[in-house]
């Protein structure tokens, strides 16, 4: 997830679900977390590429509000 900056996956519990996740906090943050949304596959499916920038911005906002900072090296 952190290497690519996001992850897409077929839902593991239910058929027809697509998951899109992004990390919350930088790679060196002391707390490791992810923000994940689940979408229903309908017709051509949801446009995950269009959702990704908003999800990434939301994850950055959460990290900033939570005070997640890079841990010292």
């Amino acid at each position: 997830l952190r290497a690519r900056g996001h992850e897409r996956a077929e839902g593991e519990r239910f058929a027809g679900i697509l998951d899109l996740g992004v990390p919350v906090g930088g790679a060196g943050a002391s707390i490791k977390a992810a923000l994940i949304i689940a979408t229903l596959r309908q017709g051509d499916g949801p446009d995950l590429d269009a959702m990704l920038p908003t999800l990434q911005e939301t994850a950055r906002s959460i990290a900033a509000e939570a005070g997640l900072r890079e841990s010292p090296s």
Side-chain angles (χ1 to χ4, degrees):
L1 178 69
R2 288 199 184 273
R4 289 190 342 178
H6 69 279
E7 186 66 42
R8 299 169 194 220
E10 294 284 332
E12 293 181 10
R13 294 190 67 183
F14 302 102
I17 302 291
L18 297 172
D19 297 329
L20 178 62
V22 296
V24 176
S30 58
I31 297 174
K32 307 296 185 211
L35 178 61
I36 301 168
I37 59 171
T39 63
L40 295 174
R41 181 189 304 268
Q42 296 176 338
D44 290 337
D47 186 353
L48 297 181
D49 290 329
M51 294 178 188
L52 183 57
T54 302
L55 192 62
Q56 290 171 322
E57 180 57 35
T58 302
R60 283 191 290 274
S61 294
I62 291 170
E65 287 293 322
L68 298 179
R69 292 181 174 76
E70 298 292 317
S71 56
S73 302

